[in-house]
Amino acid sequence: DAGITQSPRHKVTETGTPVTLRCHQTENHRYMYWYRQDPGHGLRLIHYSYGVKDTDKGEVSDGYSVSRSKTEDFLLTLESATSSQTSVYFCAISGVQRTDTQYFGPGTRLTVL
Amino acid sequence: GESVGLHLPTLSVQEGDNSIINCAYSNSASDYFIWYKQESGKGPQFIIDIRSNMDKRQGQRVTVLLNKTVKHLSLQIAATQPGDSAVYFCAERAGAGQFYFGTGTSLTVIP
């Protein structure tokens, strides 16, 4: 998985609780991404980062926030989880440019009850 | 957003046969395409890529064909093995580096 770890790998939580997912990379890549994967949909971009403290929204960013305080870590936070955020979340990285090939982590399966 | 789809949601092949997985893309300006393999419970794994200035690219047991005229991409797997069973999906890179991903085709290899 291209030097990418995600934690936790599985999480069950209740509606209204905050949740933070972590992505850690050892490749020193500039770009990091958070996607969600749902049945019937391709991977959809939530947020991405192009450097420490530099982030931008993707197509499905509502209800999510991100932070990147170090090159190797990219956090995804659900401030108040909803059942519609039940999904599998993938982190990805790419190198120098956003146009570079993206490599994915193993994923986090999140269930919001 | 972009629409990247697949012609068949499932595909079953006999072990040893060749597999062909198809993908249609919608943006004629897309300049780069990737095939990923995703096994159950795992993250997508890069298989092979192709740039829009190419028609064909070969890897180990895999070949990607690009037909820009009809906006079609295919992945050919030679001598399919049980370990090839997975979901395969394509991705296209549109403007500003945005990637769009297909929903995938589930390949089952019958021993």
Side-chain angles (χ1 to χ4, degrees), chain B residues 1-17:
Chain B
E2 296 296 317
S3 173
V4 180
L6 294 168
H7 291 180
L8 296 173
T10 61
L11 177 65
S12 295
V13 299
Q14 289 290 142
E15 181 178 357
D17 288 351

Side-chain angles (χ1 to χ4, degrees), chain A residues 37 42 90 98-99 101-102 105, chain B residues 32 36 38 43 93 96 98-99 102:
Chain A
Q37 186 177 51
F90 288 100
R98 190 184 171 194
T99 51
T101 304
Q102 295 182 19
Chain B
Y32 177 57
Y36 288 94
Q38 187 175 18
R93 185 175 70 192
Q98 176 71 50
F99 280 90

Side-chain angles (χ1 to χ4, degrees), chain B residues 84-111:
Chain B
D84 294 328
S85 292
V87 172
Y88 293 82
F89 60 88
C90 63
E92 66 176 298
R93 185 175 70 192
Q98 176 71 50
F99 280 90
Y100 295 92
F101 299 85
T103 52
T105 290
S106 178
L107 174 66
T108 299
V109 180
I110 303 167

Side-chain angles (χ1 to χ4, degrees), chain B residues 2 4-5 7 14 19 27 29 33 39 42 44-45 49-51 61 63 73 78 82 87 92 94-95 104 106-107 110:
Chain B
E2 296 296 317
V4 180
H7 291 180
Q14 289 290 142
S19 302
N27 191 335
F33 304 86
E39 297 176 271
K42 296 185 177 181
Q45 176 186 358
D49 59 0
I50 188 168
R51 302 192 183 279
R61 283 201 308 118
T63 300
L73 193 68
V87 172
E92 66 176 298
S106 178
L107 174 66
I110 303 167

Side-chain angles (χ1 to χ4, degrees), chain B residues 49-67:
Chain B
D49 59 0
I50 188 168
R51 302 192 183 279
S52 60
N53 61 354
M54 302 171 68
D55 298 322
K56 179 180 179 179
R57 189 162 189 226
Q58 290 184 288
Q60 187 177 13
R61 283 201 308 118
V62 295
T63 300
V64 56
L65 299 178
L66 176 62
N67 185 330

